[in-house]
Amino acid sequence: MFQSDITSKGPPGRTSRTRWEIDTMTTLLCPWSSLSATLKAHTSDVRAVNSPTNDMILSASRDSTAISWQKSPSHPKFTPEAVIRASTRYVNAVAYISPTPDAPKGYVVTGGQDAIVNVFSLSSPKEDPDFSLLGHSENVCALDVTPGGTIVSGSWDRTARVWKNFNLAYELKGHELSVWAVLAVDEEQILTGSADKTIKLWNQHKLISTFRGHQDAVRGLALIPDLGFASCSNDSEIRVWTLGGDLIYSLSGHTSFVYSLSILPSGGIVSGGEDRSVRVWKDGECSQVLVHPAISVWSVSTMPNGDIVSGCSDGVVRVFTEVEDRWASPEDLKAYDDMVASQALPSQQVGDIKKSDLAGTEALNAPGKKPGDTKMIRNGDIVEVYQWDADNTTWQRVGEVVDAVGQGRKQLYQGKEYDYVFDVDIQDGVPPLKLPYNVTENPFTAAQRFLQTNDLPLSYIDQVVNFIEKNTAGVKLGSNEEYVDPFTGASRYRSGGNSVQTTNLGPSTYVDPYTGASRYSGNSAAPSAVPPASSEYMDPFTGASRYSGAPPSKPPTSASPKRIPMAAWTLYKPANVPLMRQKTFEVDGRLRDEISTSSLAMYPQELASLEETFAYLTHITDPKLSNSNLPTPTASNVDAIIQIIQRWPSAALYPVFDLSRLVAAFCPGAFDTPALKSRFIQALTTAGEWSSPWNLPLQKSREINLTLVLKALANMFQEGTKLDEPWVNEVLSALSLLPYEVLSKVQRTCLATILFNISCTQHSSPLDTLQRQRVFELALQILKNERADSETVYRTLFAVGNALYTMKSSGNLLKPSQNQVLDETLPSISQTFGSEARVQDLIGEVASLL
């Protein structure tokens, strides 16, 4: 009971006392925090909290929102003042920028799975952010802000980025795995913590030093004034360092991952983790454990008045205080204690348990050794966990131990967080393979990713899915998330329901970059030109059905075409035009404000021209707006767009490229001459850097621009287009410059859509021999190389089938060499996508036309 303390685990200079003496003194000198408020509005995990003032709390959640909670003397309870739709996916980080003249209430900064850092003014919160900071390529999981308003972000893409005046200042590269934590020491120095177990100190963009010591991923950082900083980790430890790299002391007590840290005004440390607890550390000792009725305490924050805020996996924000006047009512405190006591703890969380070795309820007669001390006892056939309440000198029941389904805590694999990481034995004598899985995933998606990563045959997919389902039995499976563009991370423009429906070519729910709208609507009331796919289960990433045996060695043949010829153009029309306009003029304003770029800004006549174009597109894309007599854009409006494209830096062009996409779709009459179309095509491909080397990885801006230019080209081919004009050859020549292997899944689908639209057009305006040859060359390139995305193959097969049908109808024949390649390629496609009926049927139709 009177075990000696170990001085090396505590702050330097502490005299040697017994642990019981120190714990007793801590209890007598330190007030005890109790529940003050429970804030409920989120519908999923609260992943981040921030409390910049005593009257404001910011929270971010997996429900895709951030909430600003406020209280005032007239409204003493925290209530949601603003609910911000910060993303279409999980929001994992939140920070605050102090008030400025432009934002008297300050800004809230959010980051999440869409890989975008968004900034919203709290003075006049809007649906769309005031600033969107693009650059990260994966989940943004950490944010911090300096007193001067500089933003620091950390991401799964292994980088941290520093943003000044809402523009990228520099990128911090050096970590080997995800950057889970960032901390602004001052305006120039930054600390980053990573899943590679290290902490790095940077001065601007230069790496100064690397701190090593944690045995697992570093999850949180907090600045300790006049001392250094604290770090926490999945190794359950908290470490306190000097900025010079010396370890001052470490704190042990958490029994699982420690996710978050914050510093009290008194200098104490507050931590939260996967063991359901918030812990308060004072003078190197744990002075209090605040058990929560939720497995994960994702985030903690401290207020200037010393109150503690937590955000948890139960979707609730809670406030705890030492000030008795701010405690919750006795009824609420009792209800909270009862809720905590009713929780069941997974056995993995408390370690291996042998019931016969546990003492009975008589063990509760002995006092605890320190505040927050835990004890397991046997009470009949169940095992209960109690925590020592030193303030009231009693044991408090905190839960019952149960066997858990699967893992008892989050797992890290390659720097990313999963609910499960399974070991899968494939062959005797060979180390098991790792299968990461989240319960919100579709099991077929996880299985396919596992097989592709390890170069295993897709014939194993049912076995892997069965393995996942068996080992996660009882856990809710499936995901409600829509598909997100794999290279942009997601859209920043969001559709307001004003999208124009387009042809349904399959089960995809792809979200358009910058518009957020789907280009297909599976529940659309509009008739589908392409017959729907079969109703069996479809893989959400590839469109493939469950594997059901070996595919036929040769494609089936069809006696007569059922779907070919097809003349139903697929145009990329969905858009949020007002936001597109805002982004365009925002970029123009930044160019205008810089002396070095002011000459690139729009001229008055260009501003007026773009306003006319945006006004027309706003009305034509929004069915809620009444029809007006706005003039349709003409050649002069197209010319203004071309001039801007030719003048602006490529990295700034994405909203203008997106505008070009809409003008091509909705205003075909504006391109009144073939020469204007040629200028338009040349401007798009030149500014899109199509003639530059395609070295991977591509810059983010170039990737985005490539997708938008491909969509604009697809929209140039629609009903009434004439294929006997020079610009068509220029498009085909430009497409031949694109190495297929550098294209993302979305870009490959765009390329296939261009060929599909051309094939629909050639029914009324035939291709000449050279054009037909180029179309077949591009189509064969796709069919020979595409092994993952059935939608791309499906569209390309339609393009080939349409072309063959027209040739056969006019008595023309395919070149023997192309006929041979196509004849050899179809069986391979059939084998790769053999489980998807719509692809097999279309292969049969194409084969019958050879």
Side-chain angles (χ1 to χ4, degrees):
M1 181 172 179
F2 293 95
Q3 179 183 1
S4 297
D5 198 5
I6 302 174
T7 57
S8 62
K9 296 290 270 186
R14 194 177 66 204
T15 57
S16 177
R17 296 191 181 100
T18 63
R19 185 177 298 277
W20 179 253
E21 288 179 300
I22 292 176
D23 291 338
T24 303
M25 289 178 63
T26 302
T27 303
L28 293 173
L29 296 176
C30 298
W32 195 259
S33 291
S34 291
L35 181 70
S36 174
T38 301
L39 314 183
K40 296 182 178 181
H42 287 295
T43 58
S44 187
D45 297 46
V46 176
R47 289 301 303 258
V49 291
N50 192 293
S51 50
T53 72
N54 295 332
D55 300 323
M56 175 193 295
I57 296 172
L58 302 174
S59 58
S61 169
R62 281 182 170 177
D63 64 10
S64 79
T65 69
I67 296 179
S68 171
W69 308 81
Q70 300 279 344
K71 71 175 183 178
S72 64
S74 58
H75 296 87
K77 292 186 177 181
F78 282 104
T79 57
E81 184 184 62
V83 178
I84 297 166
R85 307 292 170 184
S87 174
T88 58
R89 307 191 73 195
Y90 293 169
V91 183
N92 294 320
V94 68
Y96 177 71
I97 299 177
S98 300
T100 67
D102 294 333
K105 291 187 177 181
Y107 292 98
V108 60
V109 186
T110 65
Q113 282 188 319
D114 61 6
I116 301 173
V117 178
N118 288 315
V119 184
F120 299 82
S121 170
L122 290 174
S123 301
S124 53
K126 298 173 291 188
E127 179 180 353
D128 297 302
D130 294 83
F131 303 95
S132 291
L133 312 183
L134 304 177
H136 284 297
S137 59
E138 294 193 59
N139 176 40
V140 176
C141 52
L143 289 170
D144 197 20
V145 174
T146 70
T150 296
I151 300 169
V152 186
S153 57
S155 168
W156 284 8
D157 65 10
R158 307 182 184 186
T159 71
R161 290 174 183 252
V162 180
W163 314 81
K164 293 181 182 289
N165 299 319
F166 308 113
N167 288 289
L168 181 64
Y170 36 85
E171 185 177 8
L172 307 181
K173 292 183 177 181
H175 284 293
E176 297 176 1
L177 293 172
S178 304
V179 177
W180 276 103
V182 295
L183 175 64
V185 178
D186 51 39
E187 297 296 332
E188 303 297 337
Q189 295 188 97
I190 305 294
L191 283 165
T192 57
S194 169
D196 65 12
K197 308 177 187 178
T198 69
I199 302 163
K200 294 183 184 293
L201 176 64
W202 311 77
N203 190 309
Q204 297 186 8
H205 63 284
K206 295 181 180 179
L207 177 62
I208 303 301
S209 57
T210 299
F211 303 74
R212 291 181 172 86
H214 281 297
Q215 302 304 304
D216 208 331
V218 178
R219 300 301 293 267
L221 298 167
L223 190 65
I224 304 178
D226 303 321
L227 183 63
F229 68 95
S231 61
C232 63
S233 166
N234 282 2
D235 64 10
S236 306
E237 292 282 319
I238 299 167
R239 290 175 171 244
V240 178
W241 314 73
T242 68
L243 288 172
D246 296 322
L247 177 65
I248 304 174
Y249 59 91
S250 61
L251 304 172
S252 299
H254 280 284
T255 59
S256 187
F257 297 172
V258 187
Y259 290 134
S260 180
L261 296 173
S262 190
I263 305 301
L264 290 163
S266 62
I269 298 172
V270 178
S271 59
E274 184 76 2
D275 58 3
R276 306 197 313 157
S277 75
V278 168
R279 294 176 186 250
V280 183
W281 309 82
K282 297 181 179 181
D283 299 322
E285 295 289 342
C286 181
S287 65
Q288 186 176 4
V289 179
L290 298 167
V291 180
H292 284 58
I295 292 296
S296 305
V297 180
W298 289 118
S299 181
V300 293
S301 179
T302 52
M303 292 181 169
N305 63 9
D307 288 0
I308 298 168
V309 182
S310 65
C312 298
S313 55
D314 60 359
V316 179
V317 178
R318 294 180 176 88
V319 183
F320 298 85
T321 184
E322 294 178 341
V323 179
E324 189 171 354
D325 290 345
R326 294 199 295 270
W327 287 0
S329 67
E331 294 79 14
D332 288 343
L333 290 174
K334 183 179 186 305
Y336 181 74
D337 289 341
D338 291 343
M339 187 183 304
V340 170
S342 68
Q343 298 297 301
L345 281 71
S347 58
Q348 289 93 336
Q349 186 174 307
V350 292
D352 295 330
I353 301 168
K354 188 175 181 181
K355 291 183 181 179
S356 60
D357 292 342
L358 295 177
T361 55
E362 67 278 3
L364 300 178
N365 295 327
K369 295 181 179 180
K370 61 179 179 179
D373 196 12
T374 58
K375 178 178 289 188
M376 285 184 289
I377 66 159
R378 187 182 70 254
N379 188 357
D381 292 331
I382 64 174
V383 175
E384 295 177 329
V385 180
Y386 285 80
Q387 174 183 281
W388 178 244
D389 182 345
D391 193 40
N392 296 307
T393 62
T394 60
W395 287 98
Q396 178 188 14
R397 186 180 187 273
V398 295
E400 174 185 335
V401 178
V402 298
D403 290 330
V405 179
Q407 309 290 349
R409 64 182 189 180
K410 303 295 181 184
Q411 306 291 310
L412 281 192
Y413 176 65
Q414 294 184 345
K416 300 178 183 180
E417 191 175 70
Y418 295 92
D419 295 316
Y420 298 84
V421 178
F422 298 112
D423 286 330
V424 180
D425 290 313
I426 299 297
Q427 181 179 345
D428 290 340
V430 177
L433 302 176
K434 297 294 184 181
L435 169 56
Y437 176 68
N438 282 315
V439 295
T440 55
E441 284 187 282
N442 186 303
F444 276 83
T445 299
Q448 184 184 44
R449 180 182 62 231
F450 169 75
L451 295 175
Q452 290 177 338
T453 300
N454 295 285
D455 294 323
L456 297 172
L458 283 176
S459 56
Y460 286 136
I461 194 164
D462 277 340
Q463 292 173 255
V464 178
V465 169
N466 290 337
F467 175 87
I468 292 172
E469 291 178 341
K470 178 182 178 180
N471 287 280
T472 58
V475 181
K476 183 178 180 182
L477 302 179
S479 172
N480 295 323
E481 293 182 40
E482 56 190 332
Y483 175 77
V484 175
D485 186 311
F487 82 90
T488 65
S491 162
R492 184 55 267 144
Y493 297 169
R494 290 195 295 271
S495 171
N498 56 347
S499 59
V500 177
Q501 292 164 343
T502 58
T503 304
N504 181 1
L505 283 179
S508 299
T509 53
Y510 164 73
V511 176
D512 190 21
Y514 305 107
T515 68
S518 302
R519 65 169 173 264
Y520 318 120
S521 177
N523 298 320
S524 171
S528 173
V530 178
S534 66
S535 58
E536 60 183 319
Y537 172 84
M538 305 301 292
D539 187 298
F541 281 178
T542 66
S545 309
R546 300 186 188 210
Y547 190 85
S548 56
S553 58
K554 287 188 176 294
T557 59
S558 174
S560 60
K562 300 177 182 179
R563 310 182 190 190
I564 298 171
M566 173 65 65
W569 294 262
T570 297
L571 303 182
Y572 294 101
K573 289 185 172 182
N576 185 329
V577 180
L579 188 53
M580 190 186 300
R581 173 189 175 278
Q582 175 187 327
K583 294 296 179 184
T584 302
F585 291 124
E586 182 181 297
V587 172
D588 182 67
R590 289 202 294 266
L591 292 173
R592 192 181 306 278
D593 292 341
E594 290 288 337
I595 295 177
S596 60
T597 59
S598 59
S599 62
L600 304 179
M602 285 190 275
Y603 306 134
Q605 63 270 27
E606 291 172 341
L607 287 166
S609 177
L610 258 64
E611 286 286 22
E612 290 178 359
T613 304
F614 280 125
Y616 175 81
L617 292 173
T618 298
H619 278 76
I620 200 170
T621 58
D622 192 342
K624 297 190 296 293
L625 297 178
S626 59
N627 293 326
S628 65
N629 295 321
L630 291 173
T632 303
T634 63
S636 65
N637 299 100
V638 174
D639 186 70
I641 293 173
I642 292 173
Q643 292 186 45
I644 295 169
I645 290 174
Q646 291 173 334
R647 195 168 66 248
W648 278 14
S650 294
L653 277 173
Y654 66 90
V656 185
F657 279 147
D658 215 15
L659 173 62
S660 301
R661 170 182 67 88
L662 293 189
V663 171
F666 290 106
C667 315
F671 301 88
D672 59 354
T673 66
L676 182 60
K677 293 180 181 178
S678 291
R679 287 183 57 222
F680 183 67
I681 299 302
Q682 184 177 1
L684 292 177
T685 55
T686 300
E689 303 174 273
W690 283 31
S691 60
S692 299
W694 296 96
N695 298 324
L696 293 176
L698 297 179
Q699 286 187 340
K700 186 73 172 215
S701 59
R702 192 179 182 192
E703 285 187 305
I704 295 171
N705 290 345
L706 175 57
T707 301
L708 296 174
V709 170
L710 286 171
K711 291 184 177 183
L713 295 180
N715 289 349
M716 291 293 289
F717 297 96
Q718 53 184 286
E719 188 172 8
T721 300
K722 300 297 182 183
L723 298 180
D724 58 351
E725 296 177 345
W727 68 272
V728 177
N729 295 326
E730 293 167 7
V731 170
L732 295 173
S733 296
L735 295 176
S736 67
L737 297 174
L738 301 177
Y740 194 72
E741 62 273 11
V742 309
L743 302 182
S744 69
K745 174 182 173 182
V746 178
Q747 293 160 354
R748 294 178 179 189
T749 305
C750 292
L751 175 60
T753 304
I754 295 172
L755 301 182
F756 172 75
N757 285 350
I758 291 175
S759 75
C760 292
T761 306
Q762 55 97 45
H763 294 312
S764 57
S765 178
L767 295 162
D768 64 30
T769 303
L770 179 59
Q771 290 172 333
R772 189 164 55 242
Q773 180 179 338
R774 286 181 166 178
V775 168
F776 272 108
E777 288 174 352
L778 290 166
L780 288 172
Q781 181 188 32
I782 295 174
L783 296 178
K784 286 191 296 183
N785 290 285
E786 185 55 57
R787 291 294 177 266
D789 183 34
S790 64
E791 184 63 35
T792 296
V793 170
Y794 189 58
R795 297 184 184 206
T796 305
L797 287 171
F798 257 119
V800 171
N802 275 343
L804 289 174
Y805 181 90
T806 303
M807 292 174 63
K808 193 171 185 177
S809 301
S810 60
N812 294 315
L813 297 176
L814 192 62
K815 289 177 60 176
S817 60
Q818 292 179 331
N819 193 96
Q820 180 182 352
V821 173
L822 187 57
D823 191 49
E824 294 171 351
T825 303
L826 291 180
S828 175
I829 301 170
S830 177
Q831 186 171 2
T832 303
F833 302 101
S835 57
E836 189 167 346
R838 62 171 187 156
V839 175
Q840 288 284 54
D841 291 345
L842 201 52
I843 290 173
E845 294 188 39
V846 172
S848 70
L849 292 168
L850 291 175

